[in-house]
Amino acid sequence: MDEKGFIPPRLAEIIADFRDASREEKLELLLEFSEQLPPLPPELADHRGMDQVHECMSPVFVIAQRDGERVVYHIDVPPEAPTIRGFAAILRTGLEGLTPAEVLAVSSECIQQMGLHQVLSPQRLNGIGALLAYMKRQALRLLEQPTVEAH
C-alpha cells in the first residue's frame, strides 16, 4: 500500500477488463455487473440504518457491516439505474473480504483507471465517486468502533 493507495486483486481484475474494453464493451460490462448486485437482506429492506448517497441522481443506499475483521457491504440501487447499479456491484465485488483499513487505502483513481470517463457523464462520475467515498467513510466508522460480541 503506497501513497497512491492500493487496488485489491479482485478490483484490479475488473479494472483491467474495463481498461481493455471498447466504449460499447464498457457499457455492456456495467450492465452485466448491474444484474449481479444481490438484493438486500430482509432486515434492510426499509433502508433503516443505511446511508443514502445524495450525490447520485438515483436513490442509492449503502451500509457496511463487520464479518469478523472483514467488511461486508449491502447496497441498494433500483434496476432503472443500471450505470450506478453496475458500479455498485463492481465496488461490492472488488472490496469484498477487505478489512476496514484496506478499504480506506483503496485508490480513488480506480474509477479513472477503468476509463469510465469515456462513457459516462461528469454527473454520473460524480455519483460513482461519491459512492466510493461513502463506502470508505463507513469503513472508517467500523474501524473506529470497538468490536462488539453479539449476545
Side-chain angles (χ1 to χ4, degrees):
M1 289 188 244
D2 61 18
E3 200 164 285
K4 293 180 183 175
F6 96 111
I7 306 291
R10 181 66 186 113
L11 188 56
E13 291 173 22
I14 295 168
I15 289 170
D17 288 344
F18 273 86
R19 190 175 44 235
D20 297 340
S22 69
R23 284 178 52 95
E24 295 77 24
E25 290 168 334
K26 285 179 190 346
L27 290 172
E28 286 174 26
L29 282 169
L30 272 174
L31 289 176
E32 286 174 23
F33 272 100
S34 76
E35 295 166 3
Q36 297 173 22
L37 189 67
L40 290 177
E43 65 272 15
L44 294 175
D46 62 358
H47 300 139
R48 186 172 313 155
M50 298 181 79
D51 284 344
Q52 182 172 2
V53 183
H54 295 285
E55 293 84 347
C56 290
M57 295 186 304
S58 303
V60 176
F61 294 88
V62 62
I63 189 169
Q65 298 175 329
R66 274 193 185 272
D67 180 12
E69 292 299 311
R70 306 291 174 196
V71 180
V72 175
Y73 286 100
H74 298 287
I75 308 171
D76 191 33
V77 182
E80 303 80 44
T83 302
I84 187 67
R85 186 177 170 86
F87 193 73
I90 289 167
L91 287 178
R92 188 177 185 280
T93 300
L95 304 181
E96 189 174 352
L98 298 181
T99 65
E102 289 170 332
V103 170
L104 288 170
V106 170
S107 173
S108 299
E109 293 296 309
C110 64
I111 299 165
Q112 196 70 15
Q113 292 173 12
M114 294 172 81
L116 293 177
H117 59 284
Q118 299 169 354
V119 294
L120 300 180
S121 70
Q123 188 171 9
R124 290 210 192 283
L125 289 170
N126 182 45
I128 285 171
L131 176 57
L132 179 57
Y134 274 76
M135 293 173 82
K136 286 183 171 194
R137 202 164 30 247
Q138 289 186 351
L140 180 61
R141 271 191 236 143
L142 290 179
L143 198 59
E144 292 172 344
Q145 290 175 354
T147 307
V148 180
E149 294 295 321
H151 291 76

